[in-house]
Amino acid sequence: MDRSSSVTFVSAGMLSPKKRDHILARRQLYLNYGALSLATKLELSGYDVALLHGEHRSPEDVFRYLKQTNRFPSIYPLMISIPSFYALPWAQAFCKLAKTSDPQCRVVVGGRWVVGPDPMWLRAMLPEADVLAPGLSESVIERLLTERPVLSRSSEPTPNFTLNHRLVEGFRHYQPSIEASRGCGMGCAFCEERDIKIEKLGEGDALAASMAIVHNQYSGEEIHPYIQASMFLPNARWAEGFANAMNRQSLDISWRTETRCDVMTPKTLEHLARAGLRVIDLGLETASPRQILAMKKAPDPNRYLAAASDLLAACHDNGVKAKVNVLLYAGETRETLEETTAWLDARRDAVAGVSVGPVLAYGPPKTANVLIEEWRGLGARPIDECSAAATGITAMHLSADFPAEEAEAASLATSRHFMDQDAYFALKSFSYYPRDYAREDFDRDVAASDPKLLPFKVHETTSP
């Protein structure tokens, strides 16, 4: 059997969207920047590397493409990245195809959120995997091609190189990512990085230089990079330096990032807007004091909400679209959700959109059960007690007042309360839809969709 000398990374896709299955959800693209970081490091070491995203294509189609392009089989392992538990069924099917086609194929599986919690559980779920990499792997990625290094969940610093987006198959469809820092460590009960200490931001000059490099990768075309950080936490002095660096390089690039709503000052946001920040994802989660405490989001709800209010006002004043994330948490009631809705309504002119969804416990029983038991104490209970073991995803009845079906209905109703078709497209097209996906394409897809599944108000003229 002839073998190529290529290293291929495959970011596992999903058999169906993780929230609601409709055509607009299937249009969304999520760049696996963690896998791209590993691919870039290998390419810098001289390897022929490519990264393919499964997206919503079938495992069979992606595997067929690998064979047609002579990237499979290879003398090197097939590198599979599983970015979420929703991608696990896709990865299972794909790995079976690879092993059936080439029993000698060595399969290395990474994706720290899926592999890390319980590698023994995942090994039973994915027996085709020869190696499971449970943590960040930049320091061992080259050795993984030929060896079996000792692996752990130890953290690694943000790489000092810029991601090479040209390694991504069909990269021009994706908006680029630039990693700014790793870790969070703020202790929120629902967060996977609650205990991982936040890393200090690098120099603003270096981030601006990465912006310029990525812009060149896209041949100077318009791009909307996402500055990736579990919690983007610059101070005003850093933000001012970054804005000055962008100006010195004459970089007129609109970008997006995410952060907590209580850690960034209005002055910092003003400088970031001058540096090109145009959309920010704010992790408000709730405006109910009781739920803020239940989530361990902050010890002082009043101070938390005051800071969030100031930041939203700064977004409005500086032309930054604020997309607010709301999490329906264990113990949620209609009263607590009404508190959040009323708080957002009072600041509606500063809210570009709202993403709402009920909390889920991710992970196998070894890790999920700790959270689930805590949530039981708040009045929640699993829909299916076996979900953690079977899928790694446990949906919850949030309270006696909020069973799962009503929580889903409330999520959609709250999103529609704050977003119409125009607002939704403005936010999604900035970062997640293919770069050539035009408004007329979107309107056509909306007209072909069931409006009951869509998280925004549909214009009457485009409703089927």
Side-chain angles (χ1 to χ4, degrees), residues 112-123:
R112 59 176 173 151
W113 308 126
V114 178
V115 181
D118 188 351
M120 294 301 292
W121 173 83
L122 186 62
R123 188 165 294 285

Side-chain angles (χ1 to χ4, degrees), residues 290-291 329 331-338 399 401-402:
R290 189 184 81 182
Q291 293 301 91
Y329 197 65
E332 198 81 46
T333 65
R334 296 193 178 281
E335 180 183 355
T336 59
L337 179 55
E338 285 171 5
S399 68
D401 190 42
F402 247 153

